Amino acid sequence: MSDADTAWWREVRFDRAGLIPAVVQERGSGRVLMVACMNRESLALTITTGFTHFWSRSRKSLWKKGETSGHTQRVVALRVDCDGDALLVEVEQEGPACHTGEGSCFFRRAADGRGKQRSAVALDWVRDPAAGGQAVLDRVYAVIRDRKAHPREGSYVASLFAGGLDRILKKVGEEAGEVVIASKNGAPEQIVWETADLWFHTLVALGYHEIPPEAVFAELERRFGQPPRTPVPTTKAIRRPARAAPRPPVGAVQRRAKAKARSRTRPGGGRGA
């Protein structure tokens, strides 16, 4: 370890059990994915490998996040709080973070029986619709990436990737048109069905370019509450050269020259006459 690393380690304060809580945050969206404990060894492994490692208090052993599920967390940044007794780990999450299949371990929120947040009353834990929606997209995107990396015979997604970008974009365009038709028809069930198709094929397009849904969420979050922007033209205006006056035919020029020459030979035809 370098001197800088040693100085950083001195800022980390483990508790009496030799542990420190680590809050895992998703890069881009800022969503909190999970909280776990690290000891000195797991923190060292996290730093050296670039993937999160934790200490399991129940199993009394080290574990790498995603070692069995494949839902690993690549570390982007590591921060320590002002007191040095908590860590914030910013990661790029592969697949869902929670063992339940949810995108985040924090997919429940305190609310009353009708799902409304209250205070000074007995609360219950209900599933957070917003967290569930993002988790579904995360799971679908994880499957799409898997089919891209490991094509399976009979897989529709694998066939789309085999057809290339043009086929994927054709499907996005077709499904967008179906959403328009369904909306014009005013059929709610049809609108939901066709929108699901559009979102799915859009996720395939994102997967083709290796762009995670979190990047889109982060962009929407950035725009939230901001005034609308003036669209920037994608192409520069082409300036056409000014048209020259049309030239008269060659014969007409010759006739005018001859007529001018004759006028000069006539009395009073010259200049200054």
Side-chain angles (χ1 to χ4, degrees), residues 208-222:
Y208 179 91
H209 295 287
E210 296 293 331
I211 300 173
E214 290 78 13
V216 181
F217 300 148
E219 175 61 18
L220 290 173
E221 180 68 23
R222 186 189 66 80

Side-chain angles (χ1 to χ4, degrees), residues 246-257:
R247 295 183 178 181
V250 176
V253 174
Q254 292 174 342
R255 287 195 295 272
R256 283 202 295 269

Side-chain angles (χ1 to χ4, degrees), residues 25-81:
Q25 183 182 42
E26 186 175 47
R27 181 187 186 183
S29 69
R31 180 175 54 159
V32 175
L33 300 177
M34 57 179 286
V35 177
C37 287
M38 289 185 178
N39 61 5
R40 185 174 292 272
E41 187 177 358
S42 63
L43 179 56
L45 283 171
T46 298
I47 294 172
T48 55
T49 66
F51 290 89
T52 55
H53 289 71
F54 304 99
W55 174 258
S56 172
R57 289 173 293 180
S58 60
R59 299 192 302 267
K60 304 296 183 184
S61 62
L62 292 168
W63 62 285
K64 176 186 177 183
K65 174 64 179 175
E67 59 188 347
T68 56
S69 65
H71 301 155
T72 56
Q73 295 171 340
R74 191 180 72 83
V75 178
V76 178
L78 189 62
R79 299 179 177 87
V80 64
D81 77 341

Side-chain angles (χ1 to χ4, degrees), residues 109-123:
R109 62 186 174 91
D112 67 6
R114 292 165 294 180
K116 297 179 180 179
Q117 292 195 5
R118 305 283 288 277
S119 61
V121 294
L123 296 175

